[in-house]
Amino acid sequence: MRLQEQVLTTSEVWWDKVKDNELLLNDWLRKQYHGEVTAADRINSFAEQYAEDGSRAQRLLGIIASQETDHARWVGDLLVARGIEPVVLEKEERYWDSTLPQIASFATGAAVAAHAEHMRLERIRTISADPSAPADIKRVFDRILPQEVFHERAFTSLAGEEAMQDTQAAHELGRVSIGLFPEDF
C-alpha cells in the first residue's frame, strides 16, 4: 500500500477494531511475537556495536533485551493457547525501515528505541485500560506494561534530548508508515 493511500488511526480506534475480530487479533498477536523476538535481537546487536563493555549502558541494554525475550515467551504462550504456532515472520518492517537509518551513534540508536517504546506503550496502555479486552491478552499486557515503561525511560535517558529531537522526524514518518497518526496530530 502506498503511503498516500494509508488510512491513519489512533491506538484506541485500532484496538476497538481488532479486539473483537479473532482473525485480526490473532494476526496482531503473531506480529507482536515477531516484534518481541526481533526487539531482543536488535537490542543485543545494538549493544554489541555501540555500548562499551562493562558500562551501565551495556547492563541496561542486557536487562531490556532479556525482558523483551520474556515478552516474546509470554506472547508465544498466548499464541499456543489459541492454537497458533509462534514463529518469526518474514515481513516488511515499515516502521524500522523509516527509523533505523537514523542510527549513527549510541545516542541516536537509543533515541530510535525510545521513540519505538513510546509508540508501543500507546497500544499497551490502551489494552490495559480496556475492561472489555480479552482476559488472556489483558493479563499478559498488564505484565508487560511496567517493563515497557522502564524501557522507554531507560532509552530516553541514554539518548539525551538532542538525539531525541534529531530522530523525531523519522519516528513520525515511521508512525505514518504503519498507519498511526503522528503524535502532534
Side-chain angles (χ1 to χ4, degrees):
M1 179 179 293
R2 286 194 187 127
L3 192 58
Q4 63 265 28
E5 296 171 357
Q6 182 79 342
V7 176
L8 300 181
T9 191
T10 65
S11 291
E12 292 79 12
V13 170
W14 163 84
W15 180 240
D16 283 341
K17 177 182 169 186
V18 169
K19 71 180 176 183
D20 295 324
N21 181 317
E22 187 175 349
L23 188 63
L24 291 176
L25 189 60
N26 289 338
D27 183 58
W28 173 71
L29 284 171
R30 284 183 191 98
K31 291 175 184 173
Q32 284 304 294
Y33 176 79
H34 170 91
E36 297 291 1
V37 170
T38 58
D41 292 343
R42 278 191 185 100
I43 293 164
N44 284 325
S45 294
F46 174 67
E48 286 176 25
Q49 184 172 359
Y50 289 102
E52 189 175 313
D53 285 344
S55 67
R56 174 182 173 269
Q58 185 184 51
R59 287 189 303 277
L60 276 174
L61 293 173
I63 291 167
I64 294 169
S66 176
Q67 290 176 345
E68 297 291 7
T69 299
D70 290 343
H71 301 171
R73 189 177 69 253
W74 300 340
V75 174
D77 290 346
L78 276 174
L79 288 168
V80 169
R82 291 168 172 265
I84 302 165
E85 181 182 356
V87 296
V88 175
L89 307 171
E90 289 188 32
K91 65 186 213 65
E92 184 180 10
E93 301 277 2
R94 295 171 294 164
Y95 178 80
W96 296 115
D97 289 346
S98 297
T99 58
L100 290 178
Q102 298 302 301
I103 299 175
S105 65
F106 180 82
T108 55
V112 165
H115 288 303
E117 294 288 4
H118 178 80
M119 180 179 64
R120 180 159 160 65
L121 276 169
E122 288 176 24
R123 288 203 170 166
I124 295 171
R125 285 181 172 127
T126 298
I127 294 165
S128 289
D130 181 2
S132 69
D136 58 341
I137 292 172
K138 187 169 173 29
R139 269 191 307 275
V140 167
F141 284 88
D142 284 348
R143 274 179 87 185
I144 290 173
L145 178 61
Q147 292 181 348
E148 293 292 343
V149 169
F150 162 68
H151 300 176
E152 179 193 28
R153 286 184 183 152
F155 280 125
T156 301
S157 173
L158 292 168
E161 187 59 36
E162 183 178 341
M164 292 297 292
Q165 290 175 5
D166 289 348
T167 56
Q168 182 68 33
H171 166 65
E172 296 297 338
L173 182 60
R175 286 179 66 92
V176 170
S177 75
I178 62 171
L180 285 175
F181 279 113
E183 291 179 272
D184 292 335
F185 181 78

